[in-house]
Amino acid sequence: MTDFPTSAEPADQPPVRELAEIPAVEVITRSALMLMSAAAEKLGLSDADPDDSPYRDLDEARRLITALAGLVTASVEYLGPHAGPVRDGLKSLQLAFREASAAPDEPGHGPGEKYTGPVW
């Protein structure tokens, strides 16, 4: 007789964790990482030449970076040791956006800067 997995997950995949079991800091950090990754893609940073990336969309990148800045600003007190690296990632994306822009925003008016303050 053959034993079959009782869940919908394939046998070689780890079991899915219930959302209620995941600590808030992990949910926040994963959300921030997803926003960072999506923003990097929209900035074209995954390509050797970001200027030629077919995925580059600065309007979409602006929205993602602003959402990330709001999340980070609102939850920084809960991130503990993760706060520094998450803030550094946000700042890197804000600077990359400024560099990618044909007409960069004035300091304090770039994506997410209403939450983080000017980024230099």
Side-chain angles (χ1 to χ4, degrees):
M1 182 170 177
T2 305
D3 290 325
F4 293 100
T6 57
S7 72
E9 291 297 310
D12 62 341
Q13 296 292 320
V16 175
R17 290 168 56 192
E18 293 293 325
L19 194 55
E21 297 173 3
I22 302 173
V25 67
E26 188 174 336
V27 174
I28 295 166
T29 304
R30 285 184 181 200
S31 299
L33 290 175
M34 180 175 277
L35 289 166
M36 283 183 192
S37 296
E41 288 288 336
K42 297 296 184 177
L43 288 169
L45 299 178
S46 63
D47 286 357
D49 184 2
D51 293 330
D52 292 334
S53 174
Y55 304 111
R56 182 174 244 181
D57 184 334
L58 296 183
D59 188 47
E60 289 284 303
R62 177 184 295 277
R63 293 173 185 167
L64 292 162
I65 294 168
T66 299
L68 174 62
L71 174 64
V72 171
T73 301
S75 59
V76 72
E77 68 183 282
Y78 308 118
L79 294 176
H82 305 285
V86 171
R87 275 198 245 165
D88 291 345
L90 169 59
K91 183 176 180 179
S92 294
L93 289 168
Q94 289 172 310
L95 292 172
F97 183 92
R98 186 176 306 280
E99 288 178 18
S101 298
D105 298 313
E106 291 293 319
H109 296 282
E113 291 183 5
K114 70 180 180 181
Y115 301 113
T116 64
V119 175
W120 309 97

